[in-house]
Amino acid sequence: MIIVLKPNVKEERKRQLIDWLKGMNLGVHISNGEFQTVLGLIGDTTQVDIELIDSLDIVDSVKRVTETFKSSNRKFHPEDTVIEVGDVKIGGGNFCLIAGPCSVETEEQIVTVAKAVKAAGANLFRGGAFKPRTSPYDFQGLGARGIELLKIAREETGLPFVTEIMNISDLPLFEDVDVLQVGARNTQNYDLLKELGRIDKPILLKRGLAGTLKELLMSAEYIMSNGNEKVILCERGIRTYSDYMRNTLDISAVPMLHELSHLPVIVDPSHATGMARMVPPMAMAATACGADGIMIEVHNDPIHALCDGAQSMTPEDYTALVKRIKAVREVIA
Ligand code: PEP
Ligand code: MN
């Protein structure tokens, strides 16, 4: 249920209403917008007398929310959420570029790529230390050592970084990580999501391999309902009958997620297509339809990359692409 208050309601009256609602064992999500305050009620609202609330002089309107996702729902929080990572802002008109290799391989590799993507204009860099590989015989990532190398690259560049967490027991290793990624294979690992709801760090949540938008939002809900509201949604392509592409990039997910939710939505065209040459057109399409950021895999030596070399752009090609992405941003502004 959402309660929209009239403009300029006194704090004390607001507080009385909130306390009364909380007294009914309801969670109250408060969204203080520029023009109006919206109270989102979470929990069993069947006992709430909607007419009684509607009759209060401080209440503008009351509506039942039928969607099962609450905290991530735009009805609860009409204004865009802006997530801050150091000086970088994501969402609410703030566009961010994230780039880096699929996996951290060596200090030289990650520092070189982080410097190159910074020079190209990236705001954050990325690199996997714990890798979810389809085959157990493939490179599984450097683990804890990989995170240490990411920190070295952060020192060298000043850019914050994103890296994937696969297992709750690894959480202590992520204490000094800027943004934790939940990969497509773990989007519905609810125990992991609940635990990430208890920390105070941005979570980049990818859409599951064959996940619906509702499932993605319910996964965000697992994080948010446990207290962490800093969730960035990421469309990374879904499994369809597409034959020549690794996945199908669902571009329409961007405006639909923006309609349904206040959370920032970024797009990863690298995992969506699996081919470096397909990344530029998809990155520009994603930018044009209003994505809040683009995450791209970049490697200094794609042919010898230990993971996802075929979809990795060279720093030179990435630099050229950033210019075109920025030009698209200008056009849609
Ligand atoms: C990745 O970002 O390197 C990755 C493994 O992505 P996804 O979970 O989208 O496959
Ligand atoms: Mn990858």
Side-chain angles (χ1 to χ4, degrees):
M1 185 180 287
I2 58 165
I3 304 173
V4 181
L5 301 186
K6 288 190 177 144
N8 308 320
V9 170
K10 289 214 172 74
E11 271 312 308
E12 194 194 330
R13 301 285 317 277
K14 225 189 267 185
R15 181 59 37 214
Q16 280 171 349
L17 176 60
I18 293 166
D19 289 346
W20 178 63
L21 293 164
K22 285 188 175 164
M24 284 190 272
N25 254 347
L26 294 167
V28 184
H29 183 282
I30 306 159
S31 171
N32 283 311
E34 204 179 321
F35 304 109
Q36 59 182 17
T37 299
V38 176
L39 306 180
L41 307 191
I42 302 169
D44 179 10
T45 55
T46 49
Q47 17 128 28
V48 179
D49 183 344
I50 197 162
E51 269 134 36
L52 172 64
I53 295 179
D54 207 15
S55 70
L56 299 175
D57 61 343
I58 60 169
V59 170
D60 188 39
S61 62
V62 191
K63 268 178 263 164
R64 288 214 179 266
V65 176
T66 44
E67 291 92 349
T68 39
F69 53 98
K70 310 285 183 200
S71 307
S72 60
N73 199 317
R74 191 176 280 283
K75 288 181 189 157
F76 270 45
H77 190 295
E79 284 168 28
D80 290 341
T81 282
V82 178
I83 291 176
E84 295 185 19
V85 188
D87 298 337
V88 183
K89 290 193 171 91
I90 310 171
N94 303 284
F95 185 74
C96 100
L97 289 163
I98 308 172
C102 181
S103 313
V104 183
E105 297 169 8
T106 63
E107 179 174 334
E108 194 198 347
Q109 172 242 18
I110 191 65
V111 170
T112 304
V113 179
K115 282 184 178 168
V117 299
K118 180 182 180 179
N123 312 99
L124 276 88
F125 72 102
R126 59 150 288 154
F130 294 90
K131 293 304 307 175
R133 303 304 301 275
T134 303
S135 167
Y137 308 116
D138 286 340
F139 176 59
Q140 302 287 305
L142 297 181
R145 172 85 189 128
I147 295 194
E148 290 313 308
L149 299 183
L150 286 161
K151 289 184 203 163
I152 293 172
R154 177 175 60 193
E155 290 254 303
E156 296 270 333
T157 58
L159 289 190
F161 67 84
V162 183
T163 194
E164 177 165 354
I165 181 159
M166 294 206 297
N167 199 318
I168 307 167
S169 61
D170 292 329
L171 201 51
L173 297 170
F174 287 71
E175 216 149 83
D176 194 19
V177 164
D178 302 296
V179 179
L180 280 67
Q181 174 173 317
V182 175
R185 288 152 193 83
N186 269 316
T187 311
Q188 291 183 307
N189 181 341
Y190 299 124
D191 284 341
L192 176 64
L193 300 176
K194 281 186 214 165
E195 209 57 48
L196 296 177
R198 297 188 187 107
I199 64 171
D200 184 27
K201 279 184 190 291
I203 309 296
L204 193 163
L205 177 65
K206 289 207 173 187
R207 184 176 180 181
L209 297 178
T212 63
L213 298 186
K214 195 184 281 178
E215 284 165 345
L216 175 62
L217 291 169
M218 290 312 293
S219 294
E221 207 68 24
Y222 265 95
I223 302 169
M224 299 175 84
S225 63
N226 280 285
N228 184 359
E229 304 212 325
K230 297 177 186 162
V231 179
I232 303 159
L233 303 172
C234 179
E235 161 60 35
R236 48 77 73 201
I238 43 169
R239 241 340 132 68
T240 65
Y241 45 81
S242 154
D243 44 7
Y244 289 100
M245 292 281 188
R246 184 170 178 181
N247 290 295
T248 298
L249 180 59
D250 179 8
I251 282 286
S252 62
V254 177
M256 183 50 87
L257 286 170
H258 276 151
E259 194 174 297
L260 295 169
S261 175
H262 51 90
L263 297 173
V265 181
I266 70 161
V267 170
D268 167 356
S270 305
H271 292 88
T273 62
M275 278 171 277
R277 70 180 186 283
M278 292 293 154
V279 171
M282 292 301 95
M284 286 189 288
T287 306
C289 75
D292 299 297
I294 306 287
M295 181 161 79
I296 291 177
E297 286 190 346
V298 174
H299 197 288
N300 54 335
D301 185 8
I303 294 169
H304 296 106
L306 297 181
C307 183
D308 284 348
Q311 68 194 30
S312 299
M313 299 187 77
T314 60
E316 296 71 35
D317 289 347
Y318 180 68
T319 305
L321 174 58
V322 169
K323 294 198 176 90
R324 300 176 75 199
I325 289 174
K326 290 196 168 159
V328 174
R329 285 284 301 168
E330 292 283 314
V331 173
I332 63 163

